[in-house]
Amino acid sequence: MNRQFLWIGGLLFLLGCRRSAPPLPTGTSATVDGSAPVQRTVASSPWFIRVPEAGGFNFHHSSGKAGQFQLPEMETGGVGLIDFDQDGWMDVVCIDGGSLDPHHPAPPNHRLYRNLGHWKFADVTEAAGLRCPDGYGMGCAIGDFDGDGWPDLYITQWGGNRLYRNNRNGTFTDVTSQAGVAVHSWSTSAAFIDYDGDGRLDLAVVNYIRWTPEREMPCFSAGGQRDYCSPLNYSAPAPMTLFHNRGDGTFADSTEKAGLTQAYGNGFGIATGDFDHDGRLDMYIANDATPNQLWMNRGQGKFVDEALLRGCALNSVGVPRAGMGVVASDLFENGWLDLYVTHLVGEGNGLFVNQSGNFMDGITPDGPMAGSLSYTGFGVAFGDFDNDGIPDLYVANGRVRLGGKVWSTLDAYAEPNTLRRGLGDGKFTEIQPQGGTEPPLIGTSRGLVVGDLDNDGRLDLIVINRDGPADMLRNNTPSDRSWIGFDIRDRNHREARNAVVRIQAGGRQQWQQFQPNQGYCSSQDPRLHFGLGTAVTVEQVWVRWPDGTSEEFGPQIPGAYRVLQQGSGRTDSTRFSW
Amino acid sequence: MPAVVPAFLQRFGKHPRLAASVLATFLAAGALWLAIHVSSPPPPVVHPAAGLKLDRQLESYLAGLISEVERNPSDPNRRKSLGLAYAANGLWSEARETFLGLETMIPQQPLAPMYAAVALQELTDEAGAWREFVQVTARFPTFAPGWYRVGEAALRRGDPTNAEQAFQRLIALAPLEWRGPAGLGELRLHQGRFAEAQSLLEKAVHIDYSAKSAHYLLGQVYRNLGRTNEARFALDLGSAENRLPMPDDWAEEAPSHLRLLPDQLAQADELAQRGQPEQAVQLLRRALVFHGEQPALLNQLAVACNRAGKPEEALDYVNRALKADPASVASHVTRALVHARRGQFEAGRLDAEEALRLAPCLTQAHLALAELWLGQDNDRKAVSALETALHCDPKNAEIHVELGDILWHNLGEKGSAMDHYQTALSIHPALARAWTRLGQLQWEVGDGAAARRTLQQLILVAPAGSERSELEATLRSP
C-alpha cells in the first residue's frame, strides 16, 4: 500500500521506479524472445467447483463502507476451520467487518457454520453463543488454549478482540475479560503457539496501526478519485502483543518482557516455526510497507528481531514491501522453513528462501512468485490440491487502491485469484482456468483457508471476499491419488503446535510443520495433509515434537486421517535430523 | 511547379542525365517534406479516458496542457510535457499513448519508446514492457538508461543471461553510473560468487556513497562471507524507502506536473524539510485555489508557513483546518507548534494535550509537548515528554539523539546523554548525527581516543557529510 511516486534529491521524479528487482538463483535459463516466462498448465477440468449457497453456506461479508474510506474497511475478512463439536467434520467461522459509521453503528456479523457433511452446512452462530456485540472484525485464530482437547476461538478486531472458550457442548463462552486478551488496538492475524515450551498454548497477536476514526484523512487515487489511504499516511505502526498462558484460563501480557516492543511495523501476517533449528520457536511478522520482523527466540521468554541481518526484513535491495499474508513452508524439502509473503500489485509476492537460518529474497521464472506482479495478494496457502505429493499454491487477491486493469464492473478493487501447481524444488506452474475455477473467481479477496471439508482426502478452499459472498470451493481433481492426514497430539492429547512431521513415501520425503494459524487473518485445517501420488504405503513417519524429542511411527496405510500422539511411537533411533 | 519544370529542363538541356538526377533528388526531397508535413499529420492529442472523474485541479491543469498541444501539434516538447503530466499523476494509459505518439514524431529519440515501455510496466504488463525495453536497446545500443531498464527487468524475470549482458553494457557505456556494478554485483550475489559481488558492490558505493541499495547488497555479501559486524552496518546503511531508477534527460521535469493533492502535500513537505518552506507555501496556495477548505491541505499550509517564519498566517490556516475537522490530531499538533513559535506556550500545550486525548500514544504530540516545555525553559518536563514519546516509538533513534542533546547541553547529565547516543546507534548504526554527538561528547569528557574511533565510524557512515566536518572541527579544538 505504498505510494507509487518516488523522489530523489532535488525533487527529481523518476518514472517507473516503484519496483525493485528481486534476485534470482544460479542457473536459471534466459528468456530472450520477449515472451513471459510464466509457465501455464491447462487443466482438463477445473480443479475447483463452487459449492452452491443452497447447501447452507451463505456467508456474505460486509465492510460497512459508507463513503468515508475508513482504512479497516479495506482489510477486513478472515476465516477459520474449527471442528468445534468434534464430530470429525470441519466447521467454518467467517469474520465480518461491521460498521465504523458512528451514525449507523452495527456489530460485526461473524458467522459459525456447522458442517453437516456432504456439503450441507447450518448457521449455528446464535445457538453457539457467538454473537459478537461490538468491534470491527478482522480475522481469527483457532487453538485449544485451555488444553481440554476442544478447539477455542480467538477473533481479532479493531476495538477489542474476543476469546471464546469452547464449552464442549456446541456452545462457546466469551472469556475475553477473564482471560485478559482483549487488545484494544487494531489486531489482524493471530497465532496460538507455545513459545516457552511449557505445554500450554500462548497467544501471539499481530497489530496493524494505532488507528481511530479521528485519525482518518482524505486520500486519493491516481487521477484524483477519493480512495483509501496507505498505512504510511498515519505514521502509527503498532507493536504486536504476546500473551503468556498462565494455565489457569488467564493470560499475562508478556510483550514488553519478551522484548517485542523493540521493533514493529504495520503488522498483517504471522508465521511461526523454528527458523534456525535451535530448538526454539521463532515468529515472523509480515508488515505492510514497513520492514518485517523475525523474532528469534532466545529462550527464557526473550525474543530479538534479526530480520534485517538474516535477510527477510526487506526485499533484495533493501526496500520494504507491503506484506499482507505469510506462510512458513518447506518448499525445497530440506527441512528449513521458507517464508512466502503476499504483496501489493507491482511488488510481486516474495519468497524468502531459508539458507540455514539466513534468508535470500529469491525469484525464478518458475518460482511461486512468478506472475504475481499484477495482483495484490492477501490470503495465501500451500496445499497439495492434486495429491501428487508436491504442495500447490493458492493466493486470494484483491487490490487496496483504485487503478489498473478493471476486472469487474461491480467492484473496482476486484482481482482474480491465482492457483499454481507445485512441480517440486520450489518450482510452480500456473493453472488454467485461472484460479482453478470456471469462471475465474474475481473479487476483493482477503482471508483464505485450505482444508478437507468433506473428508475425502482432497483439499478444498474457502475465500472471503470483501463486501461479497464467500466462495466455498470443492476440490474437483481426480480422486485416484493417494493421501494421508494426521492429527498431531502431545502426551496429554493437546495439539502439538509447531511439531514437524517428515514422511517417506513412494521414494520421496515430505516435510510439514503443524501450525494452522497462518496466511492472512485465517486459521487453516488443524490436520496435516500429505498427497502421496501413486504411493500405496507411507513407509515411515517421523515427528519432531516441540519439546525436542522425536519419534518414529511405522508404516502407515494411506487414505485416512490418523492420530499421531506423542509417546505412542518408537523413540527415533536415528534421532530426527534436519 | 508546372512553370518551374520547363525552365529547369531548359537550363539543364545539355545535360539531360544530370537534369533528371537533380530533378529526381528534388522530387524525392519534396516527397519527404510532404510525407512529414502532409501525409503524416501529427498524432492525435491524447485526452483523458472518457468517463474518468478527475480531480478538479488536475483536470484544469491537463486541459491547459492539452490546449497547448492542440495549438502546436507538431511541437514534441509540448507532447512530452503532456505525457509526463499524465505519468506524474498516475494516468498511465494516457501517458503511454502520448509517448507512443511522440515516438512517431521524434523517432531518433530513445526516451519516448522507453517511457512508453515504463508506462506499460506501470500498467502491470511486465512481458510487454520487457519486449519494448529490449527493442529500445536494439534500436539505440548506446543508450545507457535503456540497458539499465533491461538489466533491472531481467533481474526481476529471473533471467541471469540478459541481466549480465545489460549490466556489462551499462558499465561500458556509463562507467560513472553506480547502477551498473551494483546490478552486476546483485547478480553475482545470487550466483553465490561472493568475492566478485563484493568487489563490484564496493565499486558501486565508491562511485556514489549515497547509493543505498548497493550498501544493502554489500551487507548481504558480507553476511555470506561471515563478516557479521560489517554486514549489520551495511544493511542498516542500505535500508531505504524505495529504489530509484537511473536518471535520464526527461526525469527532472516530471515533478513540476504533479497536481494530485497527496503528491503536492508530499512535495511541499519535502521542500520545507529541505529548507525551502517559502516554495512549499507557494505550491500549497496554488492547490488551495481548487481545494477550498480541505483540512489536510490547510494543515500542511500551516506547517509550511510556520516553518517559513509566518506563524500568524499559519495560525489562520490551522484554525480553518480545525474548523473543518475539529478532531484532526494532526491539526492540533500543528497548532501546538504554531503556538510554540508565537510564544503562546500554554495555548500550545492545550492543543498537544487535545491531540493526545484523541490519540493517546501519538509520538508527534509528545514531541510537540517537549518543544513547548523547552520554550518555557522547563528541560526536565521536556525530557519527560520525550521519554513518553520513546515509550510510544521506542525504535525512533532521532528521539534518543534529542534526549541526549537536552540531557547534555541543558542539564549537564553527560552520562545519560552518552547512553542515549549509544542507544540511538544501536537502533540505527548509520545515523550520522548520533555519531557526531557521541564523538563530541567523548571529546568533552576527555576521551580523545574514543572520539577518534567514533570519527572513523562516522566516516564510514557519511564520508562527505557535514556531520564529519563538524566532528573533525571539534576534534581540532583544544
Side-chain angles (χ1 to χ4, degrees), chain A residues 278-408:
Chain A
D278 69 348
R280 291 189 281 256
L281 187 68
D282 312 307
M283 300 185 285
Y284 181 78
I285 309 297
N287 291 318
D288 184 1
T290 47
N292 305 315
Q293 274 88 49
L294 178 65
W295 291 109
M296 302 308 291
N297 191 332
R298 290 284 168 256
Q300 291 165 345
K302 303 284 186 196
F303 290 84
V304 176
D305 173 30
E306 294 187 354
L308 184 65
L309 184 62
R310 289 180 184 267
C312 54
L314 307 165
N315 73 1
S316 67
V317 291
V319 178
R321 288 177 289 199
M324 313 290 191
V326 58
V327 287
S329 184
D330 175 15
L331 293 186
F332 297 89
E333 296 176 0
N334 58 10
W336 295 92
L337 286 170
D338 309 300
L339 290 161
Y340 187 78
V341 189
T342 52
H343 292 132
L344 194 65
V345 62
E347 294 179 336
N349 298 336
L351 173 66
F352 290 109
V353 181
N354 192 335
Q355 300 174 334
S356 307
N358 288 325
F359 292 85
M360 187 71 86
D361 178 13
I363 187 169
T364 59
D366 46 13
M369 74 297 289
S372 63
L373 274 167
S374 304
Y375 309 109
T376 295
F378 272 85
V380 54
F382 288 97
D384 189 357
F385 300 118
D386 60 352
N387 280 336
D388 66 350
I390 303 168
D392 313 301
L393 170 65
Y394 191 91
V395 180
N397 297 312
R399 63 185 64 142
V400 293
R401 293 181 69 82
L402 296 171
K405 182 172 178 177
V406 176
W407 292 94
S408 163

Side-chain angles (χ1 to χ4, degrees), chain A residues 426-443:
Chain A
K427 296 187 171 81
F428 289 79
T429 177
E430 188 180 337
I431 287 293
Q432 295 287 344
Q434 187 164 25
T437 57
E438 186 61 64
L441 195 165
I442 294 174

Side-chain angles (χ1 to χ4, degrees), chain A residues 3 6-7 11 13-15 17-19 21 23-24 26 28 32 210 215 218 261-262 264 309 316 318 320 363, chain B residues 115 121-122 149 156 158 160 162 186 190 220 223 240 242 245 251 254-255 258 263 294 361-362 392-395:
Chain A
R3 297 274 322 133
L6 301 178
W7 300 82
L11 297 174
F13 178 76
L14 299 165
L15 290 165
C17 45
R18 66 184 164 80
R19 300 190 183 92
L24 62 171
T26 310
T28 51
V32 291
R210 286 170 281 139
R215 295 192 78 163
T261 56
Q262 292 305 305
Y264 46 84
L309 184 62
S316 67
I363 187 169
Chain B
Y115 273 51
Q121 197 173 33
E122 292 292 328
R149 297 281 177 177
R156 266 202 306 277
N162 281 309
E186 185 177 349
H190 293 285
Q220 293 176 76
R223 188 192 66 206
N242 47 56
L258 288 172
D263 298 324
Q294 215 289 331
C361 218
L362 185 69
C392 298
D393 193 3
K395 291 287 276 188

Side-chain angles (χ1 to χ4, degrees), chain B residues 183-380:
Chain B
L184 202 54
E186 185 177 349
L187 185 61
R188 293 288 178 267
L189 165 66
H190 293 285
Q191 289 168 331
R193 295 157 65 174
F194 300 127
E196 288 174 66
Q198 182 190 340
S199 167
L200 285 158
L201 291 163
E202 285 177 345
K203 186 177 175 191
V205 299
H206 181 73
I207 292 170
D208 184 350
Y209 202 78
S210 67
K212 281 185 164 282
S213 62
H215 284 288
Y216 188 82
L217 290 162
L218 192 54
Q220 293 176 76
V221 172
Y222 287 149
R223 188 192 66 206
N224 279 292
L225 292 170
R227 296 162 61 172
T228 308
N229 282 338
E230 287 156 292
R232 207 182 290 274
F233 198 76
L235 290 167
D236 187 58
L237 203 55
S239 301
E241 287 181 7
N242 47 56
R243 188 188 203 191
L244 298 162
M246 186 174 165
D248 59 61
D249 291 345
W250 288 3
E252 206 164 347
E253 182 186 327
S256 66
H257 298 297
L258 288 172
R259 287 299 181 277
L260 290 176
L261 187 56
D263 298 324
Q264 292 179 99
L265 295 179
Q267 199 174 12
D269 192 47
E270 170 138 345
L271 282 167
Q273 284 189 23
R274 289 170 50 82
Q276 298 166 288
E278 191 53 50
Q279 284 177 257
V281 171
Q282 299 305 325
L283 187 150
L284 294 172
R285 279 188 188 140
R286 185 184 70 192
L288 196 63
V289 173
F290 293 90
H291 295 282
E293 298 300 289
Q294 215 289 331
L297 174 57
L298 289 165
N299 178 56
Q300 194 68 31
L301 201 39
V303 170
C305 285
N306 206 35
R307 282 173 174 165
K310 300 173 178 175
E312 298 308 320
E313 200 179 335
L315 185 63
D316 177 51
Y317 285 127
V318 75
N319 280 337
R320 283 163 62 185
L322 281 165
K323 191 176 173 193
D325 182 5
S328 164
V329 288
S331 297
H332 280 293
V333 171
T334 302
R335 196 162 68 181
L337 292 169
V338 170
H339 282 316
R341 187 128 198 172
R342 297 171 68 240
Q344 303 290 317
F345 300 112
E346 194 56 38
R349 215 166 59 241
L350 287 175
D351 267 309
E353 283 166 0
E354 177 62 8
L356 287 170
R357 191 187 64 78
L358 293 164
C361 218
L362 185 69
T363 308
Q364 295 89 333
H366 290 294
L367 295 177
L369 261 183
E371 182 83 13
L372 289 155
W373 287 124
L374 281 177
Q376 291 179 284
D377 288 331
N378 196 333
D379 300 318
R380 196 53 68 189

